[in-house]
């Protein structure tokens, strides 16, 4: 029986891989509907090639079925877009071979401290937006490093912490350095931070109050937790004296982005699996639930919709060249303002 099953699987894989249709890419016109009989296998081939996915014959069949189910989900999103129910685009991403549960469990492991305690030292901001520009982007000031990719390691907390630290270092010293997330993954280990199994930005900042950090070029990213070898590698003395939390309202966050720099933040990213562009909105986000660390680099307005401009750590092929726009001033969407913070340099 097993030999017959294996033969059928091998025949299936051979048939799928014999399809040779060429594509211009996944970002087809967003009103395109996928014909599953004619196109699913073709997209599957291109997906595996583009994202260097390799499976055993049995796993290939299973993942292809997951992939087909995700194509249905993508079509459903596109139907909602056409009907005016959402204002963002979706497409095939590197996560398209995962179920939603696998995506959340494997890639969204941000860890709040025990009891969800989050000390806030500043009172809520009671200023207006009178002197605040409609658009702001720290990238245009040369204060943001290139998009990075955390890979299979659930290290978003380190990328979020490093992202805001890089901007603060630039504003303090006039030099944009790319710092090492791997340094934090290996060395900033405590009861919350656990390398590729999740962590929290504030704990990373706390670690950096007593340590320097290595440049990325000297402590490169490998996406696997290893023994800390910070002491044997060139480091940058950053003189971090702590971090500042921001009141949990979007007006305070707005002023902080404009006046302070890029901001580390936590969100509920459970439905960002197929995001490809536009202003993202997710009414399924639960109050207080966060599972992914990001960096807010600016804000703006698109087609009348206010948004936060957010740097992600899933590579430049995801979203809008590695960034996404999250709807702003819509009841703290996905808890974007609930756990915002930034490091303070001497």
């Amino acid at each position: 029986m097993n030999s017959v099953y294996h033969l059928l699987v091998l025949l299936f894989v051979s048939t799928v891989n014999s399809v040779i249709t060429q594509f211009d890419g996944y970002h087809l016109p967003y009103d395109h509907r996928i014909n599953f009989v004619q196109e699913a296998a073709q997209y599957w081939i291109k997906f595996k090639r583009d994202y260097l996915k390799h499976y055993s014959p049995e796993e290939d069949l299973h993942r292809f079925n997951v992939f087909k189910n995700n194509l249905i989900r993508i079509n459903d999103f596109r139907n909602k877009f056409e009907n005016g129910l959402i204002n963002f685009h979706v497409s095939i991403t590197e996560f398209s071979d995962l179920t939603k549960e696998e995506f959340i469990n494997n890639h969204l492991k941000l860890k709040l401290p025990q009891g969800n305690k989050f000390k806030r030292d500043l009172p809520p901001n009671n200023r207006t937006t009178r002197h605040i520009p409609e658009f702001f982007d720290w990238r245009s000031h040369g204060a943001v490093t290139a998009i990075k990719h955390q890979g299979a390691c659930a290290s978003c907390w380190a990328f979020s912490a490093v992202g805001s630290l890089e901007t603060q270092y630039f504003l303090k010293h006039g030099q944009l350095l790319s710092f090492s997330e791997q340094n934090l993954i290996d060395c900033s280990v405590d009861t919350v931070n656990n390398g590729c199994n999740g962590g929290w930005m504030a704990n990373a900042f706390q670690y950096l109050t007593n340590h320097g950090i290595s440049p990325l070029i000297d402590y490169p990213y490998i996406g696997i937790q290893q023994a800390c070898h910070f002491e044997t590698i060139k480091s940058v003395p950053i003189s971090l004296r702590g971090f500042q939390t921001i009141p949990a309202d979007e007006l305070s966050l707005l002023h902080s982005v404009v006046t302070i720099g890029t901001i580390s933040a936590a969100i509920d990213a459970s439905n960002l699996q197929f995001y490809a562009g536009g202003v993202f909105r997710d009414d399924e986000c639960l109050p207080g639930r966060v599972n992914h660390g990001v960096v807010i680099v600016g804000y703006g307005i698109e087609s009348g919709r206010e948004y936060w401009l957010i740097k992600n750590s899933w590579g430049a092929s995801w979203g809008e060249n590695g960034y996404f726009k999250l709807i702003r001033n819509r009841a703290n969407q996905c808890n974007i303002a609930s756990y915002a913070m930034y490091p303070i340099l001497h």
Side-chain angles (χ1 to χ4, degrees), residues 42-319:
Q42 301 166 4
Y43 277 107
W44 178 236
I45 293 170
K46 186 172 186 346
F47 169 79
K48 290 189 291 182
R49 289 174 180 169
D50 285 356
Y51 295 109
L52 304 178
K53 301 278 188 171
H54 303 283
Y55 316 97
S56 68
E58 293 86 351
E59 182 72 1
D60 194 283
L61 177 58
H62 171 63
R63 288 296 154 196
F64 180 56
N65 286 328
V66 172
F67 183 80
K68 287 191 294 184
N69 289 332
N70 284 335
L71 295 184
I72 295 173
R73 293 173 61 193
I74 289 171
N75 276 351
D76 289 342
F77 274 117
R78 290 182 170 183
N79 283 329
K80 291 180 180 179
F81 178 82
E82 284 189 347
N83 293 323
L85 300 177
I86 61 175
N87 300 292
F88 60 91
H89 304 301
V90 295
S91 192
I92 296 170
T93 69
E94 71 170 285
F95 308 115
S96 296
D97 61 342
L98 303 175
T99 66
K100 181 177 180 179
E101 292 72 22
E102 289 172 331
F103 170 68
I104 293 172
N105 293 334
N106 295 346
H107 295 277
L108 306 179
K109 292 185 178 181
L110 192 70
K111 292 182 179 179
L112 280 167
Q114 189 173 10
N116 291 359
K117 294 179 180 179
F118 193 65
K119 182 182 178 182
R120 302 187 190 281
D121 301 319
L122 291 176
N125 197 306
N126 57 9
R127 290 176 291 178
T128 68
T129 59
R130 182 178 303 171
H131 302 297
I132 297 295
E134 284 190 340
F135 295 86
F136 194 87
D137 185 346
W138 278 108
R139 296 177 300 179
S140 64
H141 296 265
V144 182
T145 60
I147 288 291
K148 304 177 184 180
H149 199 323
Q150 68 186 69
C153 175
S155 52
C156 61
W157 59 275
F159 284 84
S160 176
V162 163
S164 55
L165 175 62
E166 289 169 340
T167 298
Q168 289 304 311
Y169 188 88
F170 169 80
L171 294 175
K172 181 76 173 180
H173 300 284
Q175 183 181 13
L176 183 63
L177 294 180
S178 185
F179 291 128
S180 172
E181 291 82 8
Q182 190 69 45
N183 187 165
L184 293 180
I185 292 167
D186 295 343
C187 306
S188 174
V189 180
D190 54 32
T191 58
V192 175
N193 288 359
N194 190 16
C196 290
N197 290 311
W200 185 240
M201 292 82 73
N203 289 49
F205 293 142
Q206 194 61 45
Y207 165 82
L208 291 171
T209 59
N210 298 311
H211 301 83
I213 189 169
S214 299
L216 180 62
I217 193 172
D218 295 311
Y219 203 140
Y221 187 74
I222 62 171
I224 300 173
Q225 187 175 8
Q226 56 190 354
C228 177
H229 51 283
F230 168 75
E231 299 297 337
T232 64
I233 294 177
K234 176 183 176 182
S235 65
V236 177
I238 55 173
S239 294
L240 194 70
R241 61 183 176 90
F243 64 95
Q244 178 66 65
T245 58
I246 298 171
D249 66 89
E250 292 188 83
L251 181 57
S252 294
L253 183 57
L254 184 74
H255 280 271
S256 296
V257 170
V258 171
T259 61
I260 293 167
T262 63
I263 303 295
S264 291
I267 63 167
D268 181 356
S270 302
N271 286 317
L272 275 172
Q273 187 174 0
F274 309 117
Y275 173 86
V279 180
F280 180 74
R281 193 190 87 195
D282 183 6
D283 293 334
E284 294 181 9
C285 289
L286 296 179
R289 181 178 68 183
V290 292
N291 51 27
H292 187 52
V294 294
V295 185
I296 304 172
V297 304
Y299 60 85
I301 303 173
E302 181 175 284
S303 301
R305 298 175 186 88
E306 298 175 312
Y307 64 82
W308 296 107
L309 178 61
I310 300 176
K311 183 183 183 183
N312 205 354
S313 52
W314 294 343
S317 66
W318 180 89

Side-chain angles (χ1 to χ4, degrees), residues 9-21 40-46 48-49 60-61 64 68:
V9 170
L10 288 170
L11 287 172
F12 167 80
V13 173
S14 176
T15 301
V16 169
N17 286 310
S18 68
V19 181
I20 315 178
T21 302
Q42 301 166 4
Y43 277 107
W44 178 236
I45 293 170
K46 186 172 186 346
K48 290 189 291 182
R49 289 174 180 169
D60 194 283
L61 177 58
F64 180 56
K68 287 191 294 184

